[in-house]
Amino acid sequence: MLPKRATNAMRHLPPCGGGREGGQPRPGFPVTLFILRRLLTFAATLFVAALIIFILLDLLPGDPARFILGINASEASVAALRTQMGLDAPAHERFFGWIAGMVRGDFGISATQRVAIGGLIAERMAVTLPLTMMAMVLSMLIGLPLGIVAAMRRGKPADTGLMILAQTGIAIPNFWFGMLLTLVFAVALRWLPTGGFTPWHENPGAAFRGLILPGLALALPQASILARVMRTALVDVTGQDFIRTARAKGLTRSEAIWRHGLRNAFLPVLTILGLQFAFLIAGTIIVENVFYLPGLGRLIFTAVSERDLTLVRSATIVLVLAVTATMFITDLLYTLVDPRLRRQNA
Amino acid sequence: MALVEIDKLNISFDGRAAVSDLSLSIEKGESFGIIGESGSGKSLTALAIAGLLPDNAKVSGSIRFEGAPLPGDERAMARLRGRHFGMVFQEPMTALNPLMKIGEQIGEAAELSQSGADIASLIAEVGLLPDHAGRFPHQLSGGQRQRAMIAMALASAPDLLIADEPTSALDTITQALVLDLIAEICARRGMTLLFISHDMRAVAALCTRIGVMRTGQLVETGETQAVLRAPKAEYTRKLVAASRMERRATDRLHGDPLLEVEQVSREYGQGGFWPWGRTTLRAVDKVSLTIAQGECVALVGPSGCGKTTLARMIVGLDNVSAGQMRLDGQAYRGRDLPPLLRAGLSLVFQDPFSSFDPGMTIGQSLAEPLHLLGNLSSAERATRLHDAIMSVGLDPAMLDRYPHEFSGGQRQRLAIARAMVTRPRLVVLDEPVSALDVSVRGEVLNLLARLQAEHGLTFLIISHDLDMVAAMADRVLVMEAGRIVEEGKPADLFAHPQHALTKALMAAQLPDITETSW
Amino acid sequence: MNWQRLLRHPSLVIGLGAATAFALLGLISLVWTPYPIEQIVVARRFLGPDPAHWLGTDHLGRDMLSLVMSGTLTSFLVAFSALVIGVGIGVPMGLAAAAWGGAVEWLVLRISDVTFAFPSVVIAILIATLAGPGELNAILAIGIFNIPVFARVARGGALAVATQDYVAAGRLAGLGNAAIAARHLLPNIASLIIVQATIQLSLGILAEAGLSYIGLGTQAPATSLGLMLRDSQSLFLIHPWLGIVPGLTIVLIVIALNIAGDGLRDALDPRLRREGLNHGAG
């Protein structure tokens, strides 16, 4: 028989539904407010970044108009170009003019190419963006399953082998890997083109084939990182109490990891995914050079060497925008996956 | 036939034995308790029964459930524990999946065991409200989470409920409620209980038979009353003695007021992005109190009542929002406490393991408060350190060693030595023994009582442990929701509690181990 | 620190040993290389490995081993200088955020946000536009990128340490924020910083290679591993060797540093495994 305790603390207390026990969790505020907050941080970061870019390029000694027209141009034509480029206005007017223009979708006119910068960037993004996406998808398709397999077989030969592979993958510079891929698949096997790009509207199939090798080159190091992160996250989660609880309910270890561990392990992976997208965008700029792809990177390099500052300015802010936006979206996804964040003020 | 039979169980990690030669049997329908201090192997024993030991554990011996040995196959073992065992763990926050709703987690247990249990009735059975099923673990309080854990354990309609320190993460009142719930459910369902705890009173209140474990060995088993009234093993005798608190305070003459707290409030802004959306939480609400020279005052109350916040302001770790404090007549508002005044009070922390910087020697840590006294000569510093460490009964050679070389009890003595090094007048003790093993608590309390007598110290003890308070304090203040709701001498206050909270705290006190009767 | 305990971790010994060997190889190039790296002898170009030129010669007849030695030094110097910038600015920022909190913390976090928005390539592009390409450009670009990484690691570690009672004990002893940060926070996050430093060093070497490859980093006549790859690009399909040598050198150095980092993490503190997730930051 079970002993019946002499005292009954319940008598003196309201029913436990009232939250008497150890204090009620703190009231939070709704999801929309959280999103609004992140949106504000996002916008503020972007604004400060734009300001930095503007100041840096504005500080540049020398006269861009003079640079474009050459040393032999007359004072009058330089002055005319300055007015045309809007260089006469005070700095703050030019800054806010630039921002206001971008909000409307007007990025200004390229000084050297004499066409709308918005169109130029859009044209180049048609190469850079699909390439980044492809690399992202490839790295997830390769990295995540391998990370899961390694974690499930922790300490076994498969795990060791995969982690040695990942260790190597992380150490390989993506552009060099691109060079090696060209050597094997384009020169030796002749499966794919060595470089260059057929525009999408001419031949979508050829355009896609042109992106396969650069995509792989970008994806491999990222996949290695992802595999390591996924493995670490899953191994960490496996040691947590709720996995033991799940096993106590009647699940085997791998069933428990599968049902309860994976979603929890995905949280740290999500952070890395956000960062990776940002770094892939930067990585494409380098890898484009290996494959002679007409992407955003090559546009920027041309602009830098021709000192087309308006173009450099707008192209870099687009890159910064892509990075910041990715971070913002990662934050939102985080709140979607983790209910604890939905009611927090952090 | 016994439900669980353990025969010569050995568990070791990397060659170090954690449980050795343990044999016991648990009869169907009984409630069996295992008592032991940290590291005694009691939890490992429970995990071994459920087949949940860590992978690196080496196990030998046999465990039989309903006469059959536990299956070696992982899947078969998993299904067996799913159908026949229910488990409740210590820390309900980490034991629940943070991304899944409570109802789903309970439902999963029911589904896996194919018990056909109804989730709504389970939730009602453990005293939760229907809408709790739709909540995530972080949206429940500690006690509610533990109730959810119990519902999950019951979902399979188990034969054996294994509860491993189910209440040690909860406050006193909640602890009593959860223990009541476990007792009631076991009785109603005729379920066998294996209850594991370091808390002798909890085990005594809940179990008919007990086993006492120490460093991996079962030192004694028997009927609860028989073991506790007439312990055979030396260790059990020591534990029983340590669980009784004798009054250490003597009636003393008290001097002039040393600390005066005048209408002190502390507010925290929260939820604040938009200034107008901010709510303020008043952790301490217009508290006034006076402590006389040489007095020992205890501040008790449930977790979250504001007692720790108040203590932090008194010692100068936090600022008041309104009101002021006076130490020896000098007014201060918290962090503005001037160095010389700061030297006049000190704080002993609850957790002896985090109160020393692991990278510094004990001597360096102990000397830290000395610079409050200005430039002392190195001889003077050495004398101070020497005196302080001698006063807590430890060896001055320990000053050159590092914190990890010491046990919890020793560290708490060293923490007291650090508090004594500036020769303060007021010492604030934040749960000074609750993180220590039962067997060393008494020694630390004796030390504190001796220091108080020898140096004429004034103590402010923050605690939820009414026994300890009754043993130490001259006066008790009861705090709830930021206010002091009752005050008096411990004997009077505990004999005739007036306020509802004091009554609840008294009611939640588990009966003395040998007084339990049924 | 207990060196004998550290030496018990084989991966640490191997990784650190290999990385040190490469660093020494680079340092030797300061006083001696098999052949002067500026020496252009067209007659002996595109030689394969032979006893006179262990790693062959490049398209200008320069000795590849000499180039690799000198290039390794540049790569290490750039990555290390960038590391000094990152640690020197980022760690104090992170510590300040944790010790002062409030407005200081807010500011540090916002500065990190903005800095994170600029990938190192973008910083390098902006600096190159301003001041032209060069080693210093690469150091600054990678260094600035390192700042928020260390600021976040230091802040995260310090916040965890700050909850410990010994920090409160320090405050009770009258220590101010700066003293708390120096006496208690910094020593207890040192291992975290060291581990992150090996990671950032290896990322720095990769980043230097990338920047030099696209012409924003090291410029001739100096050389770096990235610049060697740039030189080899047009000839790579005909003379792959020219690209394989510097590429493999980079891979080996980075693997050595990463293994050393993993070993350090295990040796210094098993709790750090979690923070190791920052590895994705590149």
Side-chain angles (χ1 to χ4, degrees), chain A residues 1-13 16-27 29 33 36-37 40 240-255 259-261 263-264 267 337-343 345, chain B residues 31 47 51-52 55 74-75 78-79 81-82 87 89 94-100 105 108-109 112 127 129 136 138-144 147 149 152 171 173-174 176-177 180 183 186-187 205-206 208 270-271 273-274 302 480 504 507 510-511 518:
Chain A
M1 252 326 277
L2 274 155
K4 182 158 173 53
R5 292 214 300 104
T7 56
N8 187 354
M10 207 104 62
R11 260 177 312 190
H12 305 281
L13 291 166
C16 87
R20 178 59 263 206
E21 302 180 9
Q24 195 70 331
R26 290 200 293 160
F29 53 80
L33 209 57
L36 213 64
R37 249 175 82 105
L40 211 72
Q240 281 179 18
D241 287 354
F242 63 81
I243 293 294
R244 189 177 58 184
T245 308
R247 293 177 62 202
K249 285 184 199 174
L251 294 173
T252 64
R253 180 190 296 275
S254 47
E255 287 168 339
R259 283 209 204 181
H260 294 265
R263 241 182 100 188
N264 281 280
L267 290 174
V337 182
D338 191 345
R340 286 167 294 186
L341 289 176
R342 283 178 220 156
R343 287 180 141 267
N345 52 6
Chain B
S31 50
L47 290 178
L52 288 175
D55 285 342
E74 198 203 345
R75 182 168 299 265
R79 299 300 178 254
R81 73 177 165 249
M87 299 195 73
F89 299 107
T94 55
L96 291 166
N97 184 342
L99 305 185
M100 251 170 107
Q105 302 196 40
E108 188 188 25
L112 281 168
L129 300 177
F136 290 100
H138 72 279
Q139 294 169 318
L140 300 180
S141 67
Q144 290 166 342
R147 285 171 191 268
M149 270 303 288
M152 235 159 72
D171 69 41
I173 295 177
T174 316
L177 294 174
D180 275 346
C186 286
L206 218 53
T208 43
Q270 57 174 213
F273 173 59
W274 311 107
E480 184 185 33
L510 296 172
W518 55 83

Side-chain angles (χ1 to χ4, degrees), chain B residues 197-254:
Chain B
S197 180
H198 68 279
D199 185 346
M200 207 159 227
R201 291 186 170 199
V203 176
L206 218 53
C207 302
T208 43
R209 251 171 16 106
I210 57 173
V212 180
M213 280 188 79
R214 187 197 188 190
T215 57
Q217 280 165 332
L218 196 61
V219 297
E220 188 165 1
T221 38
E223 298 292 318
T224 309
Q225 284 308 302
V227 171
L228 295 182
R229 277 175 210 252
K232 289 193 197 74
E234 176 59 35
Y235 179 68
T236 317
R237 263 198 287 279
K238 198 174 153 202
L239 273 188
V240 170
S243 77
R244 280 207 199 88
M245 293 271 180
E246 274 133 34
R247 180 150 173 87
R248 288 164 173 88
T250 45
D251 286 323
R252 284 175 292 254
L253 288 175
H254 301 139

